[in-house]
Amino acid sequence: MDVLLAVLFVVLAPVIGGLVAGIDRKVTARMQGRVGPPLLQPFYDVAKLFEKEQILVTPSQNFYITAYLVFIVVSGALFFAGGDLLLVIFAFTLAHIFLVLGAYSAYSPYSFIGAERELIQIIAYEPMIIISAVGMYMVTRSFYVADIMAAKVPLISYLPGVFVGFLMVLTIKLRKSPFDLSTSHHAHQEIVKGVTTEFSGPMLGRVEIAHWYENVFLLGFIYLFFAANPPVAILVVAIVYFLEILVDNTYARVTWQLTLKSAWIIAGLMGLANLGILYYLSEVLHV
Amino acid sequence: MSFLPRSPWILHYDASSCNGCDIEVLACLSPLYDVERFGIVNTGNPKHADVLVITGGINEQNREVVRNIYDQMPDPKVVVAVGICACTGGVFRECYNVVGGIDCILPVDVYVPGCAARPESIIDGIVRALAILGEKRKLLETKRTKEQGGEDTAPGGRK
């Protein structure tokens, strides 16, 4: 376990996550033929949110949202410390359960719809994330991120299907179109703001910071597929994020049924088929 | 340093507008005028908004609605009345169901006249509102420190 990397993650992830969000908004604006906000706009937004008055709908909100932030940070720190990937995924899921509980704690129909959609999204992406962890185990024979990082072979050559499946759920996780069902950073207002409808001021700021941590963690997960070759890995992470922005700008939102179906079909076809072939090659053919 | 004027999130409400001013407000968000340059984001949620942009005048049907939206916005907040109907009631002010301009029920900070108000003047009005937003923030802070007197340590808690 590399404690130094974990500490670095806790300190630097908000900075990197905020910058990535700023680049995201700038690139999105350029794609739409606009000038776009300054690069540091996400930091201004969050700093402003902490200057605003805090309106509590219920006091329990505060606890749930703080728990959401804490567990996102814990799962990310565990990941970068080279900890057990399964524990990381469990902590990550728990964090989102806290977000859903926070949304359910306020008596608002918009918040409720957001919470339900968030749960559906968790159902949609969870199998694929587990499959990714299992795939990495099958190649490296270890669930520890440190061992997976140290693997001499690039994981992508064994797990191309799993990687494609992971990209699919990454769109859900980054809250990008076409899967920005529960909340989004754009002006889709038919559910007002989904899970974050009832959060205002500093509490919304905490949700935003948690999202930055989450993004850095997810990009770290992408890095893991190419960990054998760091320059290529960083390039791939940049390309993947650019593609996410492109998809975000070119697709309209889909229904939750299609999200669930497509996520599970992709997870089944790409993920499970990949694992099956890997099993066949290693156990039956002894390659 | 206050970050409020750098990141104003607006909430646009159509009180009883003919839609003329509404489309001009939306035109501000289009690539030509691109108000996101100033960090302005159009939100649909009063709890996230800093600037309440209202088009159209107040009538008996919507006075409660407008009041409710305003009350849900966290402090500090500003109100911008866009268009002549929002400023005074316009040609409709004599109608039996029309109460008048937004200032009948809310404290309006910036008036943007015009029928319909031009996008340039709407942007100008919102930018002027940002200066007021910064001042309100300062006032709120001094009020808070006075109220606290070193005892109450819950910042931002609604009294």
Side-chain angles (χ1 to χ4, degrees), chain A residues 73-226:
Chain A
V73 174
V74 164
S75 62
L78 265 175
F79 179 84
F80 281 90
D84 193 335
L85 204 52
L86 288 179
L87 188 60
V88 169
I89 292 170
F90 292 149
F92 192 63
T93 311
L94 183 62
H96 287 92
I97 296 299
F98 275 117
L99 178 64
V100 170
L101 283 173
Y104 268 129
S105 67
Y107 298 101
S108 153
Y110 301 112
S111 186
F112 273 32
I113 290 176
E116 276 158 18
R117 289 185 175 193
E118 182 74 24
L119 279 176
I120 288 161
Q121 286 187 346
I122 293 174
I123 298 167
Y125 70 68
E126 205 60 27
M128 195 58 234
I129 291 190
I130 301 278
I131 286 172
S132 306
V134 172
M136 286 175 179
Y137 172 80
M138 285 176 79
V139 177
T140 60
R141 293 291 153 195
S142 168
F143 273 119
Y144 281 87
V145 177
D147 296 341
I148 298 170
M149 279 289 285
K152 287 284 167 284
V153 288
L155 267 64
I156 184 70
S157 52
Y158 290 92
L159 303 167
V162 169
F163 182 67
V164 172
F166 188 80
L167 287 189
M168 152 85 192
V169 296
L170 187 69
T171 319
I172 303 178
K173 283 309 309 146
L174 294 176
R175 305 194 183 293
K176 299 244 179 241
S177 282
F179 302 122
D180 50 347
L181 295 173
S182 65
T183 185
S184 86
H185 288 280
H186 310 294
H188 297 308
Q189 289 169 6
E190 81 274 5
I191 53 164
V192 185
K193 204 75 165 95
V195 268
T196 56
T197 303
E198 296 301 321
F199 308 142
S200 61
M203 210 143 35
L204 186 65
R206 265 177 251 166
V207 174
E208 201 62 25
I209 291 173
H211 193 58
W212 293 348
Y213 272 112
E214 196 184 331
N215 286 0
V216 172
F217 160 68
L218 288 166
L219 295 180
F221 212 106
I222 297 262
Y223 182 93
L224 217 50
F225 282 97
F226 298 85

Side-chain angles (χ1 to χ4, degrees), chain A residues 47-62:
Chain A
K48 174 207 73 172
L49 287 171
F50 281 96
E51 285 174 359
K52 294 276 283 186
E53 174 194 29
Q54 174 149 299
I55 301 174
L56 281 178
V57 183
T58 51
S60 57
Q61 256 185 346
N62 224 337

Side-chain angles (χ1 to χ4, degrees), chain A residues 1-50:
Chain A
M1 296 266 275
D2 200 340
V3 181
L4 187 72
L5 264 176
V7 173
L8 270 180
F9 169 78
V10 173
V11 177
L12 285 183
V15 180
I16 298 168
L19 278 177
V20 166
I23 294 166
D24 186 341
R25 282 179 73 171
K26 199 83 188 170
V27 172
T28 300
R30 288 292 155 86
M31 280 180 184
Q32 296 168 353
R34 297 187 286 120
V35 178
L39 190 63
L40 298 179
Q41 189 61 42
F43 295 106
Y44 299 152
D45 287 349
V46 168
K48 174 207 73 172
L49 287 171
F50 281 96

